[in-house]
Amino acid sequence: MQFEAAELPDDLASLIEAVFHYKGFFPEHSIERVVPTGHVFVLFELDGMERSTYDDDGQVTGTFSDAWISGLQRTPLSISAHPDSEMFVIQFKGAGALPFLHTGLSEFSETVRPGAAVLGGELIGLRQQLHQQPSSAAKFEVALGWLRARFRKELLPPDALLAVVRDLENSPGAQFASIVSNYPHTPKHLIDQFQKYLGVTPKVYQRILRFNEIFQYLQQHKEVGWAAVAAHCGYADQSHFIREFKHFCGFNPEEFLREGHDVDEPNFFPLN
């Protein structure tokens, strides 16, 4: 598989986590599960293949082609995987999408939206431009130019909000109350700001970050004691940890390890 990531310039790196392109991906599975990461994604298929999402019973819940936006997810997504696939992806940081999408992020939360239905179909035009470029570097140039053209400085998240977001990201297992207490306005104002700039409440965002810390821990520690993991990640007890684990990935921890889902990528794994 060919995989390349753009080197993000300083004016975009504070808001965008990654821009990447891959092609020639031949998965051995047809459905994969993506766990919540706390990011918003704009995705472009460049291979002409339609993607599907599925419920827990394996029934199709949506189909997507050309381009789509995946808002910040609070539960896992099951999506189709295809042989010889090619994708181009823009991944926004937690509070980074609004200056480019120009719409409150609560509109995208827990949804996957077709590109033709958002931004006036602009994403479909961008997809065509990306598809025409002969190299990853050329695609990156087009995408970064589009991002700069879309950027609205007046929609940048306020510094006070960013301070809370950074503290949660740096210490997701810390006491939630002590972090949000530093916000200079009311708790309701903080919730409203999180809904606008991230699409979820502060508590939900902290839960997602803390869950992702588990994945990092599992990859670094092959001998796992669940009580130790729960304590390390700041859960009240082991049963609380297990409930959260199952909520965010659909498996309890023992099932997850038994199926070998901790071996490869930290945030997605095959279902079949």
Side-chain angles (χ1 to χ4, degrees):
M1 180 181 72
Q2 174 190 336
F3 178 93
E4 296 191 49
E7 184 175 343
L8 296 174
D10 292 342
D11 61 328
L12 296 176
S14 63
L15 299 168
I16 297 172
E17 186 72 27
V19 176
F20 58 91
H21 170 233
Y22 69 81
K23 64 186 300 185
F25 177 47
F26 286 86
E28 296 180 353
H29 53 277
S30 60
I31 301 177
E32 59 193 20
R33 175 158 291 172
V34 182
V35 303
T37 64
H39 299 99
V40 173
F41 297 84
V42 180
L43 306 104
F44 305 87
E45 59 81 2
L46 302 182
D47 50 31
M49 290 184 280
E50 188 176 70
R51 268 69 178 179
S52 298
T53 55
Y54 302 89
D55 62 20
D56 290 341
D57 296 322
Q59 300 300 308
V60 173
T61 58
T63 55
F64 305 92
S65 60
D66 296 327
W68 57 95
I69 295 176
S70 179
L72 198 152
Q73 303 293 319
R74 290 171 282 185
T75 54
L77 273 176
S78 297
I79 63 174
S80 56
H82 302 268
D84 199 18
S85 57
E86 180 179 3
M87 296 284 294
F88 190 95
V89 180
I90 300 171
Q91 179 182 6
F92 293 101
K93 290 187 183 245
L98 182 59
F100 304 97
L101 301 183
H102 308 170
T103 302
L105 270 295
S106 60
E107 180 177 325
F108 300 102
S109 178
E110 196 70 357
T111 67
V112 181
R113 302 279 301 279
V118 295
L119 306 189
E122 188 176 335
L123 292 180
I124 303 303
L126 177 58
R127 186 264 180 195
Q128 293 172 345
Q129 292 182 57
L130 293 170
H131 189 262
Q132 292 167 356
Q133 304 310 309
S135 66
S136 294
K139 297 180 197 303
F140 294 148
E141 185 175 352
V142 168
L144 296 182
W146 178 80
L147 287 164
R148 287 197 174 99
R150 290 284 307 178
F151 175 72
R152 297 291 181 269
K153 184 177 180 180
E154 66 272 17
L155 296 178
L156 282 169
D159 289 342
L161 172 67
L162 286 176
V164 175
V165 171
R166 282 194 297 266
D167 286 347
L168 291 175
E169 291 171 346
N170 291 333
S171 302
Q175 287 295 319
F176 173 77
S178 66
I179 291 178
V180 300
S181 67
N182 294 322
Y183 188 68
H185 305 292
T186 65
K188 182 181 183 306
H189 187 269
L190 179 62
I191 290 172
D192 290 343
Q193 292 286 281
F194 259 78
Q195 292 279 21
K196 177 180 179 180
Y197 287 95
L198 290 90
V200 295
T201 66
K203 186 59 180 177
V204 168
Y205 190 60
Q206 185 249 359
R207 288 173 60 204
I208 293 170
L209 295 172
R210 186 168 54 175
F211 171 73
N212 277 268
E213 193 174 44
I214 297 172
F215 272 66
Q216 296 177 18
Y217 188 92
L218 290 179
Q219 287 196 316
Q220 296 167 2
H221 301 81
K222 297 307 178 185
E223 296 295 328
V224 177
W226 295 122
V229 175
H232 173 80
C233 296
Y235 289 96
D237 52 44
Q238 188 172 337
S239 62
H240 179 209
F241 155 70
I242 292 172
R243 287 195 305 273
E244 287 286 277
F245 195 100
K246 189 166 186 177
H247 170 83
F248 284 115
C249 84
F251 293 91
N252 68 44
E254 293 290 350
E255 291 173 330
F256 183 81
L257 290 184
R258 186 168 60 246
E259 295 293 330
H261 295 322
D262 62 317
V263 173
D264 296 316
E265 295 294 332
N267 296 106
F268 68 89
F269 48 87
L271 286 185
N272 60 351

